Structure formats: C-alpha cells, structure tokens
Amino acid sequence: MNIKYKVLLPGVSLAILLGSAVLSRSATPRHKIHGITQSDTTVNLSPYFIPATALKKTPDGEGFIRRWLLLEPINKPNRSNTVFTDSYLRSAFTTSYFQNQFTGVPKNGEKVKVEGQELTWHALESNNFNVKLFRFATGLKKPTYGVLFWAVTIINSPREIKNVRMAVGSNSASMWWLNEKEAILLSGDRRMVMDDCVSPRLTINKGKNIIRGAVINGPGMSDFCIRFLDEKGMPVKDLTISYE
C-alpha cells in the first residue's frame, strides 16, 4: 500500500502542475474585452487628451480636427450594434436630451441634466487624429458601453469655401451637422476608418461655423475622426478651431 502511494505521488504532482498551467493560460483571455485589459480601464485622460486652451489651433497636418467640447456619455443601452438602422439613428439623434442641444455652444465645465444624470462638458484636444471616446469615458470613470456621446467644435474660416465634403469615420454609428444642417449619417455597426463616409458638397462660411456630432455605441470601442476635403480631395487646413 505504501509502495503504491509513493509511486503515484510524482504523477499526481505533475498533473497538478500541468492543470495549474492550463488554468493560468485559460484565465488570461477572461480579462480582455475587445483587446482591452482590466488595467486599461484605470487610465486617466492624459495619454489621449490635453485640456483645450485659448491658443491658436489649426487642423493637423492631414486636416483632422482635434479640438472638441465633449459631453460625458449619456446612457443609451444597446446590447448589440445591429439595431443602428437609419430610422433608429434618426430617432435617437433627434431626440432632445438637454436644452439647446442643436442650437447652443456649450461652455467648458457646463453641466446638463439628462434623465436624472448630471453630465459635464469638457474642452479637450485629442493627442491623436481620432478622438478616442472610449478613453474619454474610462478616464472619467464613466460608462463605456451602451452610450451616446455628443461633440461640438467651432471652426473659423478666413474665406468662404464652397464644394467641400465632410469626411468622417466613427465607431460605431454617428450623425454630424454643419451650421445646424445635417451633413452626414454613418449607420450600422462599423469600425472607425479614416474618411469612411463623405458628405454631399457643403459650404464653409467665412467666419464662424459650428460642427455638431453624436456617436452611439453598444459594446466595443468608441471613437471618431473628421476633416474637410476640398474639390480636389485635399484636406482643408486654413481653418482655426476654438471651443467658444
């Protein structure tokens, strides 16, 4: 009896060690959601944004607009992005969530009430050509899934520019307005791709122009990028960007 126990013990030990290794490997993916580790959710805004300033700001070298007023995410539960049809989005994006939603320019630090939530506007400059809304939410410890983001910025042009196109990419669906007129709708479950959709021909007025956008997402990442392209398809860069 004792002899059998001594013979089996090394085998049992080996099985325990192998089992532990398998469990260790199989546990790792549980901490990842869409490639994001649990530790990522503790990051603050600084790797992705800096506070906007009054200093002159122009589009980046490729024409992307990086200075924005971003509203903390509105809860809009969706377990899947497959519901983002044109009709659903038009209803979601034209719903009035807060005062002066389609006409006012919010101020940095301004608070609004949305169905019992108190949400704050933040004037920020993206460190990347794409504005990482998921990181904006995690940095503020706000909900990241089943949410609706609002973004506003002001572009000032030294001249009238006709026949430009607004070029947008977003994750997931989004809608964008220029000077209170709808410019473009990106529907469906989509990933953020540069110039994924372009608007019909638009006119940027001389002086002040307001861009307003809404991005909705269920599960997954959220971000967007936006720039204007001229008649030749080249980025429009002779603009200045402000948040007030």
Side-chain angles (χ1 to χ4, degrees), residues 77-116:
N78 283 294
R79 299 182 66 181
S80 169
N81 293 340
T82 59
V83 300
F84 296 152
T85 61
D86 285 14
S87 58
Y88 175 92
L89 294 172
R90 289 191 182 281
S91 175
F93 292 148
T94 58
T95 296
S96 180
Y97 297 99
F98 50 89
Q99 288 187 336
N100 302 320
Q101 178 174 309
F102 296 103
T103 56
V105 175
K107 296 185 182 299
N108 183 35
E110 180 180 338
K111 298 182 184 299
V112 298
K113 285 284 186 70
V114 181
E115 297 180 351

Side-chain angles (χ1 to χ4, degrees), residues 155-203:
I155 57 170
N156 297 280
S157 176
R159 59 194 172 96
E160 181 182 70
I161 314 175
K162 294 183 176 181
N163 298 322
V164 301
R165 297 183 187 273
M166 183 185 288
V168 182
S170 69
N171 187 345
S172 184
S174 65
M175 181 180 279
W176 300 87
W177 296 261
L178 176 64
N179 296 328
E180 301 182 20
K181 294 181 180 179
E182 180 185 330
I184 189 169
L185 173 67
L186 287 75
S187 57
D189 182 11
R190 60 201 316 133
R191 293 182 180 275
M192 202 287 300
V193 177
M194 182 190 302
D195 304 341
D196 187 19
C197 293
V198 295
S199 72
R201 296 184 186 278
L202 305 169
T203 297

Side-chain angles (χ1 to χ4, degrees), residues 4-135:
K4 289 182 180 180
Y5 177 79
K6 291 178 181 178
V7 171
L8 289 174
L9 185 58
V12 172
S13 300
L14 179 61
I16 292 172
L17 289 172
L18 290 174
S20 298
V22 170
L23 286 173
S24 175
R25 287 195 298 270
S26 63
T28 301
R30 296 179 189 175
H31 298 290
K32 294 185 177 181
I33 303 174
H34 303 285
I36 302 159
T37 63
Q38 285 184 338
S39 62
D40 287 334
T41 62
T42 64
V43 300
N44 58 24
L45 294 177
S46 60
Y48 309 99
F49 299 94
I50 60 173
T53 70
L55 297 176
K56 181 180 179 180
K57 181 73 173 178
T58 59
D60 69 14
E62 294 184 313
F64 288 101
I65 297 170
R66 298 192 183 195
R67 178 178 283 174
W68 291 90
L69 280 155
L70 302 176
L71 182 63
E72 293 172 355
I74 296 171
N75 287 328
K76 191 73 173 174
N78 283 294
R79 299 182 66 181
S80 169
N81 293 340
T82 59
V83 300
F84 296 152
T85 61
D86 285 14
S87 58
Y88 175 92
L89 294 172
R90 289 191 182 281
S91 175
F93 292 148
T94 58
T95 296
S96 180
Y97 297 99
F98 50 89
Q99 288 187 336
N100 302 320
Q101 178 174 309
F102 296 103
T103 56
V105 175
K107 296 185 182 299
N108 183 35
E110 180 180 338
K111 298 182 184 299
V112 298
K113 285 284 186 70
V114 181
E115 297 180 351
Q117 297 175 269
E118 184 176 76
L119 306 176
T120 304
W121 285 95
H122 299 264
L124 298 169
E125 296 180 12
S126 175
N127 292 336
N128 304 280
F129 81 96
N130 57 325
V131 180
K132 295 179 178 292
L133 296 172
F134 184 95
R135 302 300 186 179

